[in-house]
Amino acid sequence: MANEQSIGQFDPKPLSIHDETQWKDWLIKPFSERPHFKLSGQTLHISQLLVRVLGVPLDVDQYYNDLLEFSSLPEYGITILDDKRLDRTIDPQKFQHAQELVQTASQQNLSINRLIAFADGKRLLPKHSHPAIHRGLRTALIKTLHTFQEQEQLGFQADTFRRVWIDIVKWTANHAIPMLDDISVEERMPHILWYGDASKSQQYFLIYLCYIGCDVVTVHPGGVDVLEWFPDKSYVQTFPERDDEEVPFPTEKRQRKATVAYRASQEMDRVLHNEQSSLYKPWQFREYTPKAITLRTTYDEAFLMTKERAFVRPNFHVENGEVHIPSVFVKIQGVSKDRKEYWDRLHDIVALEPSLLVQKFPFSKTITSDFRYHYQHALDRSGKLSPKKMRQAHYWQYKHLAEGLQQGLAEIIRDVCQDPKFAKQGSDTDEDVKVFLFTQAMHIPDEMMRMLQQFDYSQAVPKLVLYNNEQNGTLSRHDAALLRILSKMGIDVFLYNPPGHNDIEPHLDDELFDVHWLEDVVFDQAFKEPSFLKKMTWGMKKFTR
């Protein structure tokens, strides 16, 4: 092989990997023992290891012990990086120059080549004594900036560019250069293991390291693919379980061991009660996020469908930590000529468990507190609500709930505020609507929260029945906001309006619910209580509100 200094550039090509054993074997081997290795002119063709490890196996303790042992073996030569290990220090003058360049890029709409030229002039780009590494750093940065422009709609004018650019500058100096100074270019590139969540800046820094030619393994016990949109092919190793507890990278071995019987039980559960089996055990999806699929039904179908368990309804499916729940959201205008059938159907829905009947309006609290500050401080860098920030805030009143329900509710609130489908009022802006929905979401009535706590996502779907004859108050905008949120959680909503008047129509997008008109429009139609015999049949079910 030619002298190191005769190598002018690297041409990394991802290895084709088939299993876990193979990629760990490749990690030990130098370039010369990997495929595609050759020197053509001044270009050194090398094979690169790109791996994503998602989720955890059934034996979690053994998983973390193996991870610790793997990362500690000297033959692998692994550098562990995560959010806590990144060095965030930066020279003040370099920071100032980086800030100025971001402003220039935004104002002058710089091309990537001009941006690189400006950065070079301000001495922001790393230098290296080896010509191939020196050139590779610039080539990798150009590719990373191209990826940024492809992913971010506004390119260098996006709000995220400032943070991404400054972080890449500082982490290149603090991590990439020291790692590259410690290698022999003909033998290997740095081996990096990224653990856990990654911010947008961290994702782009990892992409930068991939483009340089480093071997990069990302590990996320919760199953999040932090390099999902990285353009180059990589091997994905997926385990069946998810560990969402944000466990730090292990520093010592765990002593707790799973018994043979426990492992067998877990394996049996995995086979019999997997996401596609339809043999769901109680609360199997308690850690999943509910995603409502609002069904379009006829009047008769709505009553048939609401009696069915979620998993037998059309389009029910589970994937990627989400339970897609077919649900019903109907408004029934007027009263049918067959009064007995009308009341029997209404009573039958209320008799189903869990259900809640509302006859007095408004049923929600009118919140006068200004939650705009809380809303703005709960946003992440992409401008969306962060479930994590919401759950950590002092105003989050749901901390007593199970972890899965808290997370699911926080993600639903984020989704609703991102896509409100809720009417503005007066001079409201888009943000005003989002703040309004956010505020109401933080004040869900206790009886409705109890109904959500009873919701085993694959089983009986809760029913919220609202009887609005306009004699017991008026359904408010605050009520409509709660209906938007609760229906998004996957519950069935039946709204009765005997006079046939608008109540939720001024507030909710009409694509969110079905409207069924019955034969008679009746004013002052009092709610008819079920007969004593019916109540006895239902086990003395208590009607609420």
Side-chain angles (χ1 to χ4, degrees):
M1 179 60 66
N3 184 276
E4 284 190 359
Q5 296 301 319
S6 67
I7 302 171
Q9 62 182 350
F10 295 106
D11 178 28
K13 182 178 180 180
L15 280 162
S16 178
I17 307 295
H18 303 291
D19 56 51
E20 176 189 6
T21 304
Q22 187 184 33
W23 74 255
K24 288 186 176 180
D25 289 342
W26 282 127
L27 194 62
I28 300 175
K29 294 182 179 181
F31 289 150
S32 58
E33 296 180 22
R34 296 183 182 184
H36 317 302
F37 179 74
K38 67 175 181 178
L39 181 65
S40 298
Q42 290 190 325
T43 301
L44 183 64
H45 300 271
I46 60 175
S47 292
Q48 176 187 25
L49 191 70
L50 300 177
V51 177
R52 307 168 192 179
V53 182
L54 308 179
V56 293
L58 297 174
D59 190 343
V60 178
D61 292 331
Q62 189 61 46
Y63 165 84
Y64 285 110
N65 288 342
D66 290 345
L67 183 60
L68 176 62
E69 182 179 4
F70 163 69
S71 63
S72 304
L73 292 174
E75 57 263 37
Y76 289 122
I78 291 173
T79 299
I80 303 167
L81 292 178
D82 58 23
D83 180 67
K84 293 181 174 58
R85 285 177 169 83
L86 287 175
D87 183 353
R88 290 172 167 79
T89 59
I90 184 172
D91 177 77
Q93 186 176 24
K94 186 174 286 190
F95 177 74
Q96 181 181 347
H97 288 330
Q99 294 261 50
E100 293 169 354
L101 184 54
V102 170
Q103 187 173 1
T104 302
S106 176
Q107 292 174 347
Q108 299 184 21
N109 196 22
L110 296 180
S111 66
I112 291 176
N113 288 337
R114 288 192 67 203
L115 178 66
I116 293 294
F118 272 97
D120 214 5
K122 292 181 179 290
R123 298 183 178 180
L124 292 174
L125 299 186
K127 298 184 181 298
H128 200 279
S129 58
H130 194 286
I133 296 178
H134 183 80
R135 182 173 181 177
L137 288 166
R138 278 160 173 72
T139 302
L141 184 57
I142 290 170
K143 289 182 178 180
T144 304
L145 294 174
H146 273 297
T147 301
F148 182 89
Q149 287 190 325
E150 290 169 0
Q151 294 294 326
E152 309 297 325
Q153 189 174 9
L154 298 178
F156 296 152
Q157 296 186 13
D159 294 337
T160 53
F161 178 62
R162 174 184 173 278
R163 172 52 54 198
V164 169
W165 173 254
I166 292 173
D167 283 345
I168 287 180
V169 167
K170 73 172 72 162
W171 293 333
T172 300
N174 297 339
H175 295 282
I177 294 299
M179 286 189 291
L180 290 165
D181 283 342
D182 195 33
I183 55 119
S184 171
V185 295
E186 283 196 350
E187 291 297 316
R188 60 184 291 270
M189 290 291 272
H191 300 164
I192 295 150
L193 187 152
W194 177 271
Y195 178 80
D197 288 334
S199 67
K200 184 160 287 190
S201 293
Q202 292 161 356
Q203 287 177 308
Y204 281 109
F205 180 60
L206 287 172
I207 287 173
Y208 180 45
L209 294 174
C210 291
Y211 281 138
I212 290 172
C214 300
D215 290 339
V216 177
V217 178
T218 61
V219 176
H220 198 295
V224 177
D225 189 350
V226 298
L227 290 182
E228 181 180 8
W229 36 267
F230 180 58
D232 283 358
K233 179 182 177 183
S234 61
Y235 172 69
V236 180
Q237 179 182 353
T238 305
F239 289 111
E241 303 297 318
R242 300 288 180 265
D243 188 352
D244 298 318
E245 296 184 9
E246 298 185 17
V247 178
F249 194 87
T251 55
E252 59 183 20
K253 283 200 170 186
R254 298 186 177 194
Q255 298 303 314
R256 186 165 174 253
K257 296 290 184 180
T259 65
V260 174
Y262 175 82
R263 292 184 187 180
S265 172
Q266 293 293 96
E267 181 64 21
M268 185 68 73
D269 271 351
R270 187 182 69 82
V271 173
L272 292 181
H273 304 295
N274 62 68
E275 293 179 352
Q276 284 76 41
S277 71
S278 296
L279 296 173
Y280 303 126
K281 61 183 180 179
W283 303 107
Q284 180 171 339
F285 304 120
R286 62 188 179 277
E287 303 300 326
Y288 284 56
T289 299
K291 297 286 184 180
I293 305 172
T294 304
L295 297 171
R296 292 295 185 194
T297 65
T298 65
Y299 176 67
D300 293 327
E301 283 177 327
F303 295 98
L304 294 173
M305 194 61 63
T306 197
K307 296 177 182 179
E308 300 290 352
R309 295 181 182 272
F311 75 92
V312 298
R313 296 185 181 189
N315 301 316
F316 175 88
H317 62 284
V318 183
E319 61 180 359
N320 301 325
E322 297 177 347
V323 187
H324 297 261
I325 305 167
S327 60
V328 176
F329 189 173
V330 296
K331 181 177 181 186
I332 299 168
Q333 299 274 54
V335 180
S336 62
K337 286 187 178 298
D338 187 340
R339 297 292 198 269
K340 182 178 185 303
E341 179 193 55
Y342 178 83
W343 290 114
D344 281 348
R345 283 184 163 180
L346 193 158
H347 293 157
D348 286 348
I349 299 172
V350 179
L352 297 170
E353 289 283 5
S355 67
L356 178 68
L357 173 65
V358 176
Q359 300 183 64
K360 295 180 181 180
F361 301 89
F363 62 82
S364 61
K365 300 176 183 177
T366 299
I367 310 302
T368 57
S369 303
D370 187 358
F371 268 64
R372 187 175 302 275
Y373 173 85
H374 300 318
Y375 171 82
Q376 291 173 343
H377 280 262
L379 299 176
D380 60 21
R381 290 175 181 173
S382 69
K384 295 181 181 180
L385 284 170
S386 164
K388 182 177 180 180
K389 288 184 177 181
M390 281 189 278
R391 291 185 55 188
Q392 291 176 343
H394 68 86
Y395 54 79
W396 181 259
Q397 65 169 4
Y398 311 119
K399 289 183 171 66
H400 63 287
L401 301 178
E403 288 295 313
L405 180 54
Q406 285 194 55
Q407 183 64 22
L409 181 58
E411 292 187 25
I412 290 298
I413 294 169
R414 176 199 62 197
D415 294 346
V416 167
C417 290
Q418 187 64 23
D419 183 24
K421 290 185 169 59
F422 197 84
K424 297 177 183 176
Q425 187 176 60
S427 59
D428 280 353
T429 63
D430 289 341
E431 185 177 84
D432 290 332
V433 172
K434 293 178 180 181
V435 171
F436 179 77
L437 289 168
F438 175 79
T439 303
Q440 290 308 121
M442 298 303 154
H443 298 86
I444 299 175
D446 291 342
E447 59 268 38
M448 294 178 183
M449 284 309 308
R450 285 195 290 269
M451 186 169 61
L452 291 177
Q453 291 179 71
Q454 293 176 277
F455 193 3
D456 184 350
Y457 299 137
S458 66
Q459 303 302 317
V461 178
K463 296 95 176 58
L464 178 60
V465 183
L466 305 106
Y467 187 79
N468 182 21
N469 60 5
E470 303 179 2
Q471 301 302 302
N472 295 312
T474 303
L475 189 145
S476 69
R477 188 169 186 250
H478 299 80
D479 294 340
L482 276 180
L483 291 179
R484 171 77 176 106
I485 295 159
L486 293 170
S487 65
K488 189 73 173 175
M489 286 289 292
I491 72 170
D492 290 340
V493 178
F494 286 79
L495 172 56
Y496 284 82
N497 190 293
H501 291 163
N502 286 349
D503 43 25
I504 58 170
E505 286 85 349
H507 310 299
L508 294 184
D509 193 315
D510 58 12
E511 74 176 60
L512 296 175
F513 58 95
D514 290 332
V515 178
H516 299 297
W517 278 92
L518 304 183
E519 299 92 335
D520 293 341
V521 170
V522 182
F523 305 98
D524 305 329
Q525 176 67 64
F527 181 81
K528 181 179 179 180
E529 293 287 343
S531 67
F532 177 76
L533 182 60
K534 271 191 177 181
K535 287 185 177 181
M536 290 290 291
T537 304
W538 297 338
M540 300 299 292
K541 176 177 174 62
K542 182 180 178 181
F543 280 72
T544 323
R545 282 189 173 270

